[in-house]
Amino acid sequence: MGVPPPGRSRERGKVGAVAPREHGRVTSPQAWRRRRRTVHPGAWWVWSLSLGVAASRTSNPLLLALLVAVTGYVVAACRTPGPWSRSYGAFARLALAVLVVRLAFTVVLGSPVPGSHTLVTLPEVPLPHWAQGIRLGGRVSAEGLVFSLYDGLRIAALLICVGAANALAPPARLLKSLPGALYEMGVAVVVALTFAPHLIADAQRLRAARRLRGRPDSGVRGLLQVGLPVLEGALERSVALAAAMDARGYGRSADVPDRVRRTTAALTLGGLLGVCAGTYGLLTAEGGGYGLPVLLAGVGAALAGLRLGGRRSLRTRYRPDPWDARAWLVSGAGAAVAGLLTLAGARDPDALRPGVVPLVAPALPLWPAAAVLLGLLPALIVPKDPKEEPS
């Protein structure tokens, strides 16, 4: 039986039916079509960070719990199988640890919130005169503990939103979608992410080899005997990778006029400063009026600078992720939640930031809760495909 000519598939028996290759392996056309149906990773990051902005605008524990539930449901419905999809659980455990530490600091160091309901009185440690305003131990009030609980829940919700972004957007696809101006940074991050698993595999292989030879693989001596070969292998691998990248044209840049280069630097730097100032304004109660306009202006200037800076990069994209209508819907759902929670905080701040003096149970505001439920839109338009392969 003869070998079929190039471009001809033995199974289909027609020209042009060669299965696409991805990451060095052949993938089926069905898997490639399923990947084409996935959402742009940047849209997931916009959705997650927008929910984080919404969490920063409120300290109501009911709204924060609703935000966490929304992120958990969307992650369970839309994430694809892969090592990155388990990051949501890791961030949830980190958020729980942050909450516990926040409450522990309140119990040990006290709280600035005055309270009349004493829960427990700890032995107080006397401190020198230069540590005025700080105390160790003493009275622990219910009001101070509840205030710390509200504040810790807000920080925990922010961490969980970041974990949702990591679980929904594969890092490799996100780095591939970076603009041309950030091309060098993306290559550096990809190389770092690639080298870390190799270092772990080399260390495990060397420790197993030492155990088979009856030599110690723990302690200071074992660490030196394993660490030096791992370091030597990493240096050799980096030199080989640098030579291969140089042979393939990495780092080449186009000739750009000085005027365009200066304009790019001014737009990018000014845009980033505007983003920082606008974000600070959104996160503070006093800057709610100017925060959103400054943030939008900074984002526009930064995008213009990145687009101009992309002219320096002479590269093409292999199977780029399209920013389609679903990406607009996903990012728009998150932006709508952030905008409506910001508007609700300006109109009715007591509902989104309940007080603790006097100590009363928080109430769930209806239309801010309905605004948070808009974050469930990605679960409806991007259903999880159980047959989808990891990208």
Side-chain angles (χ1 to χ4, degrees):
M1 181 179 295
V3 178
R8 182 177 296 275
S9 172
R10 187 187 302 271
E11 292 81 2
R12 297 179 180 268
K14 58 182 179 180
V15 177
V18 177
R21 289 184 175 270
E22 183 178 359
H23 301 293
R25 60 184 177 87
V26 178
T27 59
S28 62
Q30 293 81 7
W32 173 240
R33 284 195 295 268
R34 283 195 296 269
R35 177 173 177 178
R36 294 290 292 179
R37 292 199 298 267
T38 57
V39 180
H40 195 283
W44 286 123
W45 274 93
V46 172
W47 175 83
S48 301
L49 295 180
S50 298
L51 292 187
V53 171
S56 67
R57 304 305 299 172
T58 178
S59 60
N60 191 316
L62 300 178
L63 286 177
L64 292 173
L66 188 60
L67 276 169
V68 172
V70 167
T71 58
Y73 182 80
V74 173
V75 168
C78 301
R79 67 179 174 182
T80 56
W84 62 86
S85 62
R86 296 189 292 268
S87 61
Y88 185 81
F91 273 87
R93 291 189 291 270
L94 177 62
L96 181 60
V98 168
L99 180 60
V100 172
V101 170
R102 181 69 175 88
L103 294 176
F105 270 105
T106 301
V107 172
V108 175
L109 302 178
S111 174
V113 178
S116 58
H117 297 80
T118 302
L119 296 178
V120 65
T121 302
L122 301 176
E124 188 169 354
V125 179
L127 297 176
H129 67 279
W130 50 265
Q132 294 296 327
I134 303 175
R135 69 176 179 86
L136 291 177
R139 188 174 67 91
V140 180
S141 64
E143 289 83 357
L145 204 62
V146 170
F147 176 80
S148 300
L149 177 64
Y150 291 174
D151 191 50
L153 283 174
R154 179 164 53 182
I155 300 174
L158 286 171
L159 290 173
I160 289 176
C161 290
V162 176
N166 283 272
L168 292 169
R173 288 180 55 208
L174 180 64
L175 291 172
K176 189 180 70 172
S177 304
L178 286 176
L182 304 178
Y183 163 67
E184 290 84 0
M185 183 184 70
V187 171
V189 174
V190 169
V191 171
L193 292 176
T194 305
F195 263 65
H198 285 296
L199 294 178
I200 297 175
D202 289 345
Q204 293 176 348
R205 177 175 53 82
L206 289 171
R207 292 186 62 184
R210 290 184 63 83
R211 284 195 299 268
L212 291 174
R213 291 177 174 86
R215 297 177 182 177
D217 61 330
S218 60
V220 179
R221 184 178 179 182
L223 180 63
L224 292 177
Q225 295 295 329
V226 172
L228 291 178
V230 170
L231 180 61
E232 181 182 359
L235 291 176
E236 292 178 355
R237 192 180 298 112
S238 63
V239 171
L241 179 62
M245 292 175 65
D246 183 70
R248 288 168 173 80
Y250 281 87
R252 304 294 194 271
S253 59
D255 294 331
V256 179
D258 293 338
R259 177 176 54 83
V260 177
R261 188 178 295 108
R262 288 192 295 268
T263 304
T264 301
L267 286 175
T268 304
L269 182 60
L272 294 179
L273 291 176
V275 169
C276 294
T279 304
Y280 176 79
L282 288 177
L283 296 178
T284 57
E286 294 80 6
Y290 71 86
L292 185 59
V294 173
L295 178 63
L296 294 178
V299 169
L303 290 178
L306 292 176
R307 185 174 181 83
L308 284 177
R311 298 180 179 180
R312 295 178 55 248
S313 177
L314 299 175
R315 69 186 183 110
T316 58
R317 297 180 185 271
Y318 178 65
R319 291 177 177 172
D321 292 306
W323 188 282
D324 53 6
R326 290 176 306 162
W328 283 111
L329 289 175
V330 169
S331 56
V337 174
L340 290 175
L341 262 294
T342 302
L343 181 62
R347 291 190 173 183
D348 191 6
D350 295 334
L352 268 66
R353 288 181 287 271
V356 296
V357 180
L359 191 60
V360 294
L364 180 64
L366 294 181
W367 76 268
V372 172
L373 293 179
L374 290 176
L376 293 173
L377 182 62
L380 302 178
I381 62 176
V382 191
K384 182 178 179 181
D385 188 355
K387 298 180 180 180
E388 187 169 5
E389 299 178 2
S391 58

